[in-house]
Amino acid sequence: MRERTWWKEAVVYQIYPKSFSDSDGDGFGDLPGVIERLDHLERLGVDCVWLNPVYESPQRDNGYDVSDYRAIYPEFGTMDDWDRLLEELHERDIRLVMDMVPNHTSTDHEWFQRSRSDPDGEYGDYYIWRDGDTDANGDPVPPNNWESFFGGSAWEYDDEREAWYLHLYDVSQPDLNWRNPAVRDAMVDAMNWWLEKGIDGFRLDVVSLLSKAEGLPDGDPNNEWVGSEHFVDGPRIFEYLDEIHERVFAGTDAVAIGEMPNLDLEHARRYTGPDGPLDLVFHFEHVGLDFGERGRWDVGEWDLLDLKETLHRWQDGLAWNSLFFENHDQPRSVSRFGDDERYRYESATALATILLTLRGTPFVYQGQELGMTNGTFESLDDVSDVDTVRNVRELIADGEVEDYASIRHVVEHRTRDNARTPMQWDDTAHAGFTDGEPWIPVNDNYPEINVARERERTPSVLSYYESLIDLRERTDALVYGGYELHRPDDEQLFVYTRTLDDERVVVAINFSDREATADLDVLDPEASLLVSNYEDVTATPAETLELRPYETRVYEQP
Ligand code: GLC
């Protein structure tokens, strides 16, 4: 019998607590709010929650700027609330994965404060400090040409220490110096502290960036993220991750999930292989298919062949994948890959089918189970996300775009705020998210798209998610089965089989807004229908399948 592992069988639900549910009317989601909504998760049938960071933080990057790894940010609640959340989840047999941010802290963290004020003290070497040069005019110039992911130089000059510090993200997120064993100890201690509280694992934020190349050399200026070849999967990354594995995860059944920007297949195999330090990794290839010629801040064309080719290469090349179309950094998938108007239900459920029947661990992001869509952002003042605001300001300052109006369509397609508009619970004010003023406006379509409405109507995106999650739970072939792609060159159909011993499931999806017909040799005439997103489908397939726009069929072979 193959070895069963909980995180392979689990469907993970991601909660972005700031936007999930507000219990006290301050417009900011909180932990008691999450607790009040656990019945929704139980009904949906998910097995694990990944909670975005709830640690003490000035919230410049919504909690990815941590100022104390062992305290809860007061607007989210108290440690008692957090303890209660863990208990209530476990009572429902739902596990909890916390988000750990090991690459950087907030500048408000005591470590940084002490590092800046006392270079020779205990914390002096906790961050990556360098003396810069001066240019011909005597002005300070940064130590190298690396760029921040959020735009501009990755270096900031600190007047107090009179030196530059590295920040691969916001200027308030200084990178920790992982060469310093004391930093590694501190991070390992923080993780073990949470594990001892009984959590079930960590999602490790940008964990492939921990090791920077010796000497911090200049990067190729033509790279989209300048410097990245010197800090993505850097020289000592396996040493650091092996150490984390040994000191935190080894001997536990806690899951280690690495978020890894710019990850390629070869590294993914090493990270998650039999001797690899991680269980699961997130790669971003499929959510980069719609980048344009100018990269992320440009919208390009993609088609089903691209999507199939990418997903297939990872299905084929990696023993176990993380499956996702959405998270708190990505726009809504139905707006991006589907059709959020005419075929919103059909295309959201087609995406759900891919998510829940490919081989790997599926991650459902809050609101995805309703088919929530992208928002409208009329001006840059309507955008909260530090990534969007900084990058757009920079593009305008550099003269690459004239003004907000000329890049608005890109922002509306791409901004992370699309994922961060409040969860839509019902059709009362602010979608039932808060009794106060939400920190970010609710999507206008909430009277039509919300949990209560989804529960009433048939068919609904929500009930489709419920039935597919239930099907995956009952069908070993959908978890442990092998995967085989059929009709790779079909421009409308995505067809694959999942096979385990004599259990065989055929998945056929018309991922287009036109009718499609096909004779599927792989489909047995006696096969029986397990699930479809259309209602009037016969129990056994016709010789020629006729699939309506975004129609899905999942069959079990006799
Ligand atoms: C990750 C997080 C993102 C954050 C960044 C910096 O990509 O998912 O939200 O801004 O890391 O911590």
Side-chain angles (χ1 to χ4, degrees):
M1 184 61 193
R2 61 194 48 76
E3 207 189 314
R4 291 185 164 268
T5 313
W6 74 263
W7 48 264
K8 291 190 173 172
E9 295 174 11
V11 174
V12 184
Y13 187 83
Q14 186 190 346
I15 293 184
Y16 195 69
K18 192 170 175 177
S19 304
F20 194 63
S21 187
D22 172 24
S23 71
D24 59 7
D26 64 359
F28 198 98
D30 49 41
L31 297 172
V34 175
I35 296 171
E36 284 169 10
R37 304 291 189 176
L38 291 183
D39 288 349
H40 174 67
L41 272 61
E42 199 172 9
R43 222 164 135 177
L44 184 58
V46 298
D47 312 280
C48 178
V49 162
W50 152 23
L51 188 66
N52 283 95
V54 290
Y55 313 108
E56 184 72 71
S57 154
Q59 300 287 323
R60 300 267 176 68
D61 187 21
N62 289 356
Y64 284 96
D65 46 333
V66 180
S67 56
D68 184 346
Y69 289 94
R70 291 176 187 170
I72 301 292
Y73 178 56
E75 299 215 15
F76 284 135
T78 62
M79 195 58 86
D80 284 346
D81 295 328
W82 184 89
D83 289 335
R84 199 154 59 85
L85 172 62
L86 179 67
E87 205 182 297
E88 298 254 354
L89 282 168
H90 281 175
E91 262 171 31
R92 292 170 165 82
D93 281 329
I94 300 176
R95 299 190 189 238
L96 178 61
V97 165
M98 292 288 277
D99 207 320
M100 186 41 73
V101 191
N103 181 67
H104 43 261
T105 67
S106 159
T107 43
D108 285 8
H109 198 292
E110 192 195 348
W111 302 339
F112 187 79
Q113 295 297 326
R114 295 175 66 172
S115 192
R116 129 195 292 175
S117 62
D118 185 7
D120 301 319
E122 189 182 344
Y123 297 93
D125 198 26
Y126 258 51
Y127 296 85
I128 303 179
W129 293 99
R130 288 292 179 276
D131 294 329
D133 257 339
T134 43
D135 64 14
N137 303 322
D139 293 327
V141 287
N144 67 25
N145 69 350
W146 295 4
E147 282 177 354
S148 154
F149 187 76
F150 295 160
S153 169
W155 294 93
E156 181 72 5
Y157 188 76
D158 184 62
D159 290 328
E160 188 172 343
R161 179 151 163 168
E162 296 183 338
W164 298 81
Y165 65 85
L166 179 73
H167 62 91
L168 293 180
Y169 289 86
D170 186 52
V171 41
S172 68
Q173 293 168 299
D175 280 54
L176 284 159
N177 174 19
W178 273 74
R179 288 171 182 269
N180 180 351
V183 167
R184 307 205 290 272
D185 288 348
M187 217 32 110
V188 162
D189 287 351
M191 291 207 247
N192 281 328
W193 191 83
W194 284 101
L195 272 187
E196 277 158 25
K197 283 174 84 65
I199 64 165
D200 303 288
F202 288 105
R203 176 263 191 191
L204 301 164
D205 187 63
V206 296
V207 75
S208 53
L209 308 187
L210 300 183
S211 166
K212 280 79 178 174
E214 183 81 45
L216 311 181
D218 273 338
D220 175 352
N222 298 318
N223 248 348
E224 188 183 1
W225 190 3
V226 177
S228 55
E229 71 274 32
H230 298 305
F231 52 75
V232 169
D233 309 317
R236 292 179 65 181
I237 190 64
F238 282 96
E239 183 191 325
Y240 299 155
L241 293 182
D242 285 345
E243 180 173 343
I244 293 177
H245 173 77
E246 276 307 308
R247 297 176 66 190
V248 179
F249 294 95
T252 75
D253 75 347
V255 68
I257 311 169
E259 187 216 15
M260 302 199 146
N262 298 12
L263 179 67
D264 61 35
L265 195 46
E266 189 201 321
H267 278 94
R269 280 198 206 107
R270 286 180 62 196
Y271 285 126
T272 60
D275 300 319
L278 300 174
D279 299 312
L280 292 166
V281 285
F282 284 118
H283 78 84
F284 296 94
E285 263 197 66
H286 60 306
V287 288
L289 289 174
D290 61 355
F291 289 6
E293 274 168 25
R294 285 185 293 139
R296 199 156 60 99
W297 296 100
D298 188 12
V299 180
E301 294 289 318
W302 67 277
D303 62 25
L304 180 65
L305 293 184
D306 299 331
L307 184 66
K308 287 203 297 189
E309 188 279 324
T310 308
L311 293 176
H312 172 70
R313 190 156 29 77
W314 283 83
Q315 285 286 302
D316 219 32
L318 191 64
W320 198 263
N321 277 270
S322 301
L323 305 167
F324 77 100
F325 286 113
E326 290 185 23
N327 64 34
H328 64 293
D329 294 328
Q330 300 293 330
R332 291 294 181 176
S333 56
V334 67
S335 301
R336 183 181 203 181
F337 296 111
D339 174 342
D340 64 5
E341 289 176 0
R342 178 149 184 216
Y343 294 115
R344 192 183 64 84
Y345 161 78
E346 292 80 359
S347 60
T349 48
L351 284 161
T353 311
I354 302 175
L355 182 74
L356 290 158
T357 63
L358 279 180
R359 185 176 158 89
T361 302
F363 289 76
V364 180
Y365 179 69
Q366 66 185 44
Q368 184 176 357
E369 77 278 25
L370 314 176
M372 274 179 63
T373 67
N374 281 352
T376 18
F377 302 92
E378 277 172 29
S379 82
L380 200 53
D381 295 337
D382 297 338
V383 180
S384 308
D385 172 28
V386 54
D387 174 34
T388 312
V389 172
R390 282 192 196 273
N391 273 296
V392 169
R393 283 209 188 117
E394 169 127 330
L395 288 169
I396 296 174
D398 291 352
E400 292 199 37
V401 295
E402 204 174 310
D403 50 14
Y404 181 73
S406 44
I407 196 170
R408 175 174 166 184
H409 70 288
V410 182
V411 170
E412 291 189 331
H413 181 85
R414 185 80 68 217
T415 180
R416 307 194 297 180
D417 278 357
N418 282 313
R420 300 174 182 187
T421 63
M423 177 73 177
Q424 293 164 203
W425 295 103
D426 55 41
D427 62 4
T428 64
H430 307 305
F433 162 70
T434 180
D435 294 334
E437 241 341 276
W439 70 274
I440 185 173
V442 176
N443 193 310
D444 291 341
N445 60 20
Y446 78 87
E448 182 54 27
I449 304 173
N450 63 63
V451 174
R453 181 103 172 77
E454 285 291 294
R455 291 230 174 277
E456 279 159 15
R457 72 175 143 213
T458 354
S460 78
V461 181
L462 182 57
S463 58
Y464 190 82
Y465 264 91
E466 287 172 0
S467 46
L468 263 192
I469 291 172
D470 179 54
L471 179 67
R472 189 179 183 278
E473 206 105 311
R474 289 182 283 113
T475 315
D476 266 358
L478 287 180
V479 179
Y480 294 108
Y483 147 93
E484 194 187 351
L485 179 69
H486 305 276
R487 306 171 73 94
D489 301 322
D490 196 310
E491 292 173 7
Q492 283 178 282
L493 297 185
F494 194 2
V495 182
Y496 47 90
T497 41
R498 299 291 316 279
T499 311
L500 184 71
D501 307 326
D502 51 11
E503 192 176 31
R504 186 161 204 217
V505 176
V506 182
V507 180
I509 303 167
N510 174 9
F511 205 88
S512 81
D513 57 7
R514 287 157 294 126
E515 314 240 310
T517 45
D519 296 316
L520 292 186
D521 321 337
V522 34
L523 199 54
D524 191 291
E526 300 290 301
S528 55
L529 185 75
L530 295 168
V531 166
S532 168
N533 59 354
Y534 278 73
E535 292 202 292
D536 49 354
V537 179
T538 54
T540 50
E543 201 172 315
T544 301
L545 277 192
E546 291 182 7
L547 297 176
R548 288 155 288 184
Y550 295 103
E551 180 163 356
T552 66
R553 307 267 182 100
V554 181
Y555 290 101
E556 184 178 27
Q557 302 277 49

